[in-house]
Amino acid sequence: MEGLEKGLEELRQTFGSGKTRDAAWRKSQLRGLLRLLNEEEEDIFRVLREDLGKHRVEAYRDEVGVLKKSVNFALENLDGWMAAKKVKLPWLVWPSKGEVVAEPLGLMLIFSSWNFPIGLTLECLVGAISAGNVVVLKPSEKSPASSLFLANCIPMYIDSKAVKIYEGGSSVAEKLLEYKWDKIFFTGIARVGRIVMTAAAKHLTPVTLELGGKCPGIVDSRLSLHDKKVTAQRIVAGKWGSCCGQACIGIDYLLVEEKYASEMVDLLIRTIKKFFAKNHLSRIVNKQQFHRLSNLFNDPSVAASIVHGGSRNIKELVIEPTIMLNPPLDAEIMTEEIFGPLLPIITRRIVAETSSGSITFNDAVVQYALDALPFGGVGGSGFGKYHGKYSFDTFSNDKAVLRRGFFVEISFRYPPWDDLKLQFIRACYDFDYIGLLRLILGL
């Protein structure tokens, strides 16, 4: 990659100069991002339409609007995030003061995904800049219009000596992974996540992984008719409303009581026809993804379970919202993340304890847009959190700072040891005011 060595060296020099640690610099870069979002809004709509067929309303709701909110949230709270946090210390080290200071990690490498190619890329950048780092962005080659837009526009609004973009496919990613970074942030599939972790391990580089998973929606049959209709609307929006189901937090399948299944299916079909009558549906990203999804329901046993939809148009890269009722649990559609507009409904009695990166009651997907809540996976769906203060923390190192005084030096800290010193140390650690006073007074 031409100029990579020189570019990385410039980033390291920028970080070494200390200017990214200054709050004023960080705020100026965040304001630059706001200007980009405001001044280039129409171009953002255009590239998202080219890459994914997103309607401008969807593009604003899921990418531009979410980003503006995130940037403003960071600007409002940055001073507080950067401020040293005082901590309580045991009497054993009195007189002392302790605090935790968030310091930038250094040189960040961010791999972004194709399904929200503007939103996810810049959401990570907000956190990295807020924390005072320098950054290399690697947009997904599967969303080429968005990637080119970012490569052309970001240098116009952000300090190009602190943020650089490298476009390209897997060969570019592999080359970037050969270098030592202070943190790698990856959004994508688990298979590639393992490759990233393997490369990072060679340099003991910390990694945040945002991967996929099987995200169920669980429907309560005890709802009123009004609430059932609202539930159907939220399910349809949570499944097909964001990038045609090509979202890691989109509903992957529904768990419904058997007696309620036919009513739920009917409500979903009516809602789909209402919401997408004018085909306000994003398209499948490319032919490879189209064929993968098609293969999921070409399986005869899965095809037999289709109760709505199933039509496909490879020329337009469109798959109709499709509902299946009780496909085989061992079929690929139920063992792998779907990441598309196919919704299996399973009628079983499910009683289990679950672990997940997040859980939302009475809705779906909306938790992603809330800066006050951490966003991230657990186990096979990834690890590490971001959004709001959690983004700042992800790209920061919490450094412990202890300042000791010289007013008094407590001899009980030093040998030789005896039971009196043990009692004194125990009282200090336990914050036992009375016990400590008695020891001092010799009682």
Side-chain angles (χ1 to χ4, degrees), residues 51 97 126 157 163-164 168 210 218 247 302 361-362:
D51 285 332
K97 292 181 180 180
V126 170
Y157 294 90
V163 178
K164 297 188 181 297
E210 291 294 335
I218 304 173
V302 175
F361 292 93
N362 304 323

Side-chain angles (χ1 to χ4, degrees), residues 27-38:
K27 291 177 182 178
S28 71
Q29 304 308 300
L30 292 173
R31 293 189 187 101
L33 276 178
L34 271 184
R35 290 197 305 275
L36 184 155
L37 294 170
N38 288 322

